[in-house]
Amino acid sequence: MRTHSLGFPRMGRNRELKTALEAHWAGRLDTEGLLAVAADLRLRHWALQRDAGIDLVPVGDFSLYDHMLDLAATFGVVPGRYGHAGGPVPTDLYFRMARGGQDACGDVTAMEMTKWFDTNYHYIVPEFAADQAFALTGDGIRAQARQARDAGFAAKAVLPGPFTFLLLGKCADPAADPSRLLPRLLPAYRELLGELAETCPWIELDEPVLAQDLPRDLAEPFRAAYESLIEAAGPAKLLLATYFGGIAHNLPFVAGLPLGGLHIDCQRDPTQIAPVTAALAPETALSLGLVDGRNIWRVDAAAALARLDLAAERVGRDRILLAPSCSLLHCPVDLDDETALDPAVRHWMAFAAQKCREVRLLADAAAPGDRTRPEVTAGLAENRAAWEDRRQSRLARDEHVRRRVAEISPDMFHRPAPYPERARAQRAALSLPPLPTTTIGSFPQTPEIRRARRAHRAGELGDAAYEAFLKETLADTVARQEALGLDVLVHGEAERGDMVEYFGERLSGFCFTKHGWVQSYGSRCVKPPVLHGDVSRPGPMTVAWSAFAASLTPRPMKGMLTGPATILCWSFVRDDQPREATRRQIALALRDEVADLEAAGLRVIQIDEPALREGLPLRRRDWDQAIALAVDDFRLAASVARPETQIHTHMCYAEFGEIVPAIAAMDADVISLEASRSRMELLSAFADYAYPNEIGPGLYDIHSPRVPSVEEMEELLLRAAAVIDPRKLWANPDCGLKTRAWPETTAALANLVEAARRARRRLGLA
Ligand code: GLN
Ligand code: ZN
């Protein structure tokens, strides 16, 4: 049985790509040097996958920044503001599209970025002009395919399909439907497939949009487009890949299409095997995603083989291909590097390299007769033993936590007073000006901070010295904010490497990898904690630092917590109980922290929920229930606060327009939002809904080093004030500042404070 992979982590086991990218952006590594690192990583990753037993290795999954941006560049989809005259997109322009820039070539904002389906990976949103032309100009994926061929790999080209590319993009005119561009786009795709067919026996087009709700009238154009693409691919087999959910509700899109293959995610939706096999054209191979590409647990081989048997009964074994459920981009590279993990938990886990081997094991065990071959039985026995161990382990259970969850009462979900009353109490307690200015929590994580943290972790810097260093850093951060004239201050989060890891390290039920990095966007990686057992809080997690910072200033200081949905979403979560049950345990632990912060004198507490939206199911009909549960957990954490304690929340980088009612139901006193990259479009959704509480639309994009002008931010504030009651507006950047350096941060915040001053005067509030 043939195996393939839909994609491999790009960064390298030691995050070599991150190092190279950042050196390149800092001017320490030229383009040639960067491309050499990239080419070397690709070779290594192909070899690793092949050696693990993957027959067809992916090409085109690698990217210097993002695969959607790559495709935009390949087809010459460059927004007008970059002043590109046509032809191939040079590397520096590519990075300007991704990151924006302020240099000799001008001052230009980055393209919009948002989360890739329900993952924590961010893609660059293609921007289509009304009269967008598509021309095959970029050589990227074709060059990579040649590289794989020349190195002797059996390669499968992988790229987003035309519907995913268009539907995830946006038109300059927000009312325009990007799928109308299909007739213009198809010829470019056809040309690209024709060329790729010369080097690759298989071409995979990813259409994860098929797991979402799609308008029915798109089915015909979809089928017509794919018939045309199958023809264009000529001798190469076209594999249509779907993942992150089932596609049984969208079968009219694919039924009977003469595809080379169709990939389905059997991890997320094993029930689709029966309906999908019934709809498959006789010549189409079925690719089963049996190994979870989104999590770090071992495959349950017995369950996976049962699924495989079911599919084999229906289509015959010869027509089946095996693969991970989706790209392994969302997994760390190699469990073998984790030498410090608790061996009991480690034994339950598999990373990208191990998952490739699991795919091979399942393929080798595909025929019932093969399951008695010694190498196969050994592999299956090892897998079974690990699962038995995990199911019986006492590591995962804490009776005290289970009792507390059972005893939660309905009043614990409600603040003691409604918002208008709380707002009055908070106004009296905080005496803030109109359009109060604040930031989202983190301040630049300077090389000194990172160095100190690393040294402390390595045991080279003692606790006392580290604490003294952090105190100095916090004091400096507070002083800088006072000098800037910000109204509500933050301590800056210098003690936190990552906003989820920090809490995971202070909660029971988590463990940590050393190298388990996963790409979030561009060169930015996160190391999700592993949530393997019941969650409880052995003691206060943030109180000492927040209270120390508060003691340094008469201005209000925000305590800073990461919310239950976000901790869940950005961790690798146990798969032996429903995710909701795990999140409730986290919410209870955070509730205790809120109470302790308040008791320590913090009058403002922010509970970040940037992942609230991304954690929602892909299909609309499943949302209401899922949102209600997530909102309940936020409220469970926050509602312990007294009326005069101001609860903030923060969300970023997703389409929030659709979930405004749920955001309102969280009943946070203040919400700060990303809104600068999407040009305040979002605000109208809040205005239309008459969002009841206070709101701080992000006034500038912190993902770019660009310094926004006073005028620009004043203008955004005035536009916001036109649709939202100015007495409910706050002024803030759109996210935390940890990835920025101080000079641009101070410059941007000084402009922000001045913009708020001027807007107050213009609005007659001063
Ligand atoms: N408080 C966090 C910070 O400022 C929020 C980060 C986020 O929203 N992703 O870094
Ligand atoms: Zn944010």
Side-chain angles (χ1 to χ4, degrees):
M1 190 168 284
R2 301 252 281 169
T3 58
H4 68 110
S5 130
L6 282 68
F8 200 77
R10 301 160 181 160
M11 287 293 146
R13 70 191 322 154
N14 297 313
R15 288 181 294 159
E16 294 89 336
L17 181 58
K18 176 189 176 69
T19 309
L21 281 170
E22 288 171 3
H24 177 67
W25 295 334
R28 296 192 310 269
L29 180 67
D30 61 10
T31 305
E32 210 177 301
L34 173 65
L35 296 182
V37 171
D40 178 57
L41 280 171
R42 286 196 295 268
L43 278 183
R44 274 195 269 154
H45 295 163
W46 290 327
L48 188 154
Q49 291 173 89
R50 180 194 55 202
D51 297 347
I54 296 294
D55 298 320
L56 283 169
V57 298
V59 163
D61 59 327
F62 182 87
S63 175
L64 287 177
Y65 203 94
D66 167 56
H67 54 276
M68 290 288 274
L69 179 60
D70 290 353
L71 198 56
T74 299
F75 291 141
V77 182
V78 181
R81 65 179 177 280
Y82 298 99
H84 180 51
V89 171
T91 313
D92 57 340
L93 171 59
Y94 174 88
F95 287 133
R96 283 161 71 78
M97 290 163 73
R99 310 173 68 229
Q102 226 166 13
D103 53 31
C105 314
D107 174 358
V108 64
T109 52
M111 287 172 73
E112 195 178 318
M113 163 165 87
T114 197
K115 277 164 184 164
W116 178 244
F117 298 88
D118 58 352
T119 74
N120 185 29
Y121 174 81
H122 303 62
Y123 72 94
I124 299 281
V125 180
E127 278 175 53
F128 304 115
D131 58 345
Q132 185 66 53
F134 300 90
L136 182 56
T137 49
D139 192 40
I141 185 168
R142 290 176 286 172
Q144 293 180 28
R146 288 192 296 273
Q147 184 196 8
R149 180 200 55 197
D150 295 347
F153 290 97
K156 176 190 57 167
V158 176
L159 60 155
F163 287 81
T164 295
F165 182 58
L166 288 177
L167 295 177
L168 264 50
K170 65 172 214 172
C171 295
D173 166 10
D177 170 9
S179 67
R180 280 192 331 203
L181 293 168
L182 188 64
R184 290 166 175 245
L185 174 61
L186 264 189
Y189 258 98
R190 284 179 52 97
E191 191 185 343
L192 177 57
L193 296 199
E195 294 201 15
L196 286 171
E198 290 167 18
T199 31
C200 301
W202 282 86
I203 301 173
E204 172 186 316
L205 293 180
D206 286 2
E207 295 284 15
V209 289
L210 283 175
Q212 294 179 315
D213 301 305
L214 288 177
R216 260 301 114 89
D217 57 9
L218 216 54
E220 257 332 293
F222 187 95
R223 302 176 64 85
Y226 269 84
E227 270 160 18
S228 155
L229 293 172
I230 291 164
E231 185 210 38
K237 291 194 192 241
L238 193 69
L239 175 80
L240 172 59
T242 65
Y243 41 82
F244 301 152
I247 59 162
H249 60 293
N250 278 330
L251 282 184
F253 284 75
V254 295
L257 265 185
L259 293 160
L262 176 66
H263 174 83
I264 57 173
D265 182 339
C266 302
Q267 171 66 29
R268 279 288 171 92
D269 184 8
T271 66
Q272 65 178 323
I273 294 175
V276 168
T277 47
L280 224 50
E283 66 266 50
T284 304
L286 178 64
S287 164
L288 298 175
L290 291 173
V291 169
D292 192 352
R294 294 280 300 272
N295 215 331
I296 41 85
W297 309 109
R298 275 182 193 255
V299 68
D300 178 346
L305 286 173
R307 288 167 188 170
L308 195 156
D309 289 346
L310 172 71
E313 252 166 52
R314 291 172 170 261
V315 298
R317 273 190 298 124
D318 321 338
R319 268 170 73 196
I320 294 181
L321 297 167
L322 288 192
S325 60
C326 59
S327 169
L328 296 168
L329 177 66
H330 313 288
C331 258
V333 177
D334 194 343
L335 186 62
D336 288 349
D337 294 339
E338 299 298 333
T339 45
L341 262 182
D342 177 351
V345 181
R346 184 180 187 275
H347 190 48
W348 308 339
M349 295 167 38
F351 290 0
Q354 287 70 35
K355 283 172 188 288
C356 291
R357 269 178 251 142
E358 292 188 329
V359 170
R360 184 74 256 161
L361 173 68
L362 296 176
D364 288 345
D370 291 346
R371 276 168 221 176
T372 51
R373 278 190 7 233
E375 45 314 350
V376 177
T377 35
L380 292 177
E382 200 222 346
N383 180 278
R384 200 174 327 107
W387 268 94
E388 268 161 27
D389 173 61
R390 187 173 170 202
R391 288 200 184 98
Q392 283 158 16
S393 169
R394 296 276 97 194
L395 257 176
R397 243 187 120 79
D398 180 336
E399 297 309 330
H400 178 69
V401 171
R402 296 195 167 242
R403 239 186 343 268
R404 264 197 91 192
V405 169
E407 284 163 7
I408 294 172
S409 58
D411 59 295
M412 290 167 74
F413 296 93
H414 297 277
R415 297 283 299 271
Y419 168 74
E421 211 177 291
R422 301 198 307 263
R424 268 194 303 279
Q426 291 162 19
R427 225 166 284 138
L430 299 171
S431 47
L432 296 172
L435 301 180
T437 53
T438 190
T439 61
I440 307 303
S442 57
F443 268 100
Q445 294 245 330
T446 57
E448 300 79 71
I449 295 178
R450 287 179 214 278
R451 216 177 300 127
R453 193 183 311 117
R454 233 179 298 130
H456 179 241
R457 281 195 184 233
E460 294 151 15
L461 185 65
D463 288 349
Y466 183 55
E467 196 175 313
F469 169 80
L470 284 178
K471 281 191 164 163
E472 235 169 76
T473 308
L474 262 60
D476 174 63
T477 305
V478 171
R480 286 176 189 256
Q481 293 173 86
E482 284 187 322
L484 282 162
L486 287 158
D487 299 310
V488 173
L489 311 193
V490 296
H491 75 283
E493 304 180 26
E495 80 288 12
R496 305 182 189 176
D498 174 87
M499 64 185 287
V500 170
E501 183 183 55
Y502 181 82
F503 288 90
E505 280 175 343
R506 283 155 185 81
L507 290 166
S508 307
F510 286 82
C511 67
F512 295 86
T513 61
K514 279 242 152 45
H515 308 278
W517 295 101
V518 178
Q519 187 178 10
S520 173
Y521 66 89
S523 68
R524 180 147 168 71
C525 299
V526 293
K527 191 150 60 66
V530 176
L531 202 176
H532 63 82
D534 287 343
V535 178
S536 63
R537 189 191 74 138
M541 305 183 281
T542 65
V543 177
W545 291 123
S546 289
F548 171 74
S551 75
L552 302 173
T553 174
R555 299 184 190 220
M557 173 67 55
K558 267 198 281 196
M560 197 58 61
L561 304 176
T562 304
T566 301
I567 291 185
L568 189 83
C569 226
W570 293 353
S571 299
F572 287 120
V573 180
R574 61 194 292 186
D575 55 359
D576 60 345
Q577 71 176 17
R579 291 170 63 86
E580 294 73 28
T582 305
R583 190 177 55 212
R584 180 125 306 180
Q585 297 177 350
I586 303 170
L588 267 187
L590 289 170
R591 182 179 172 93
D592 297 343
E593 187 72 11
V594 170
D596 283 350
L597 279 171
E598 193 181 64
L602 276 294
R603 293 174 290 161
V604 184
I605 299 171
Q606 178 170 310
I607 307 175
D608 290 321
E609 282 291 32
L612 189 88
R613 168 68 184 80
E614 89 186 37
L616 290 182
L618 261 60
R619 292 190 62 197
R620 265 311 231 292
R621 55 148 209 203
D622 304 326
W623 278 19
D624 288 352
Q625 205 202 347
I627 296 191
L629 289 170
V631 168
D632 276 354
D633 285 329
F634 179 88
R635 295 175 65 127
L636 180 62
S639 295
V640 70
R642 287 193 299 263
E644 62 272 27
T645 300
Q646 190 169 62
I647 298 287
H648 288 222
T649 189
H650 164 71
M651 295 183 191
C652 49
Y653 293 93
E655 300 299 328
F656 295 116
E658 312 155 293
I659 60 162
V660 176
I663 294 178
M666 292 165 75
D667 199 24
D669 299 305
V670 184
I671 180 166
S672 60
L673 285 170
E674 174 270 335
S676 54
R677 273 196 180 187
S678 52
R679 307 222 177 295
M680 311 296 269
E681 278 156 29
L682 184 65
L683 275 187
S684 52
F686 279 78
D688 292 347
Y689 178 77
Y691 182 75
N693 304 0
E694 291 159 54
I695 179 165
L699 295 182
Y700 73 91
D701 173 14
I702 62 85
H703 292 83
S704 162
R706 182 177 170 274
V707 174
S709 68
V710 176
E711 291 71 24
E712 179 179 337
M713 289 189 280
E714 182 190 354
E715 153 79 12
L716 284 175
L717 267 174
L718 294 176
R719 269 165 58 192
V723 290
I724 287 188
D725 180 352
R727 286 162 308 179
K728 292 189 169 179
L729 267 182
W730 286 63
N732 45 258
D734 71 349
C735 196
L737 297 159
K738 66 189 288 186
T739 55
R740 297 271 59 89
W742 271 111
E744 74 240 27
T745 299
T746 332
L749 290 176
N751 287 356
L752 181 138
V753 169
E754 178 56 23
R757 265 189 213 126
R758 290 192 198 170
R760 277 175 207 140
R761 279 201 296 274
R762 290 270 291 274
L763 293 165
L765 298 167

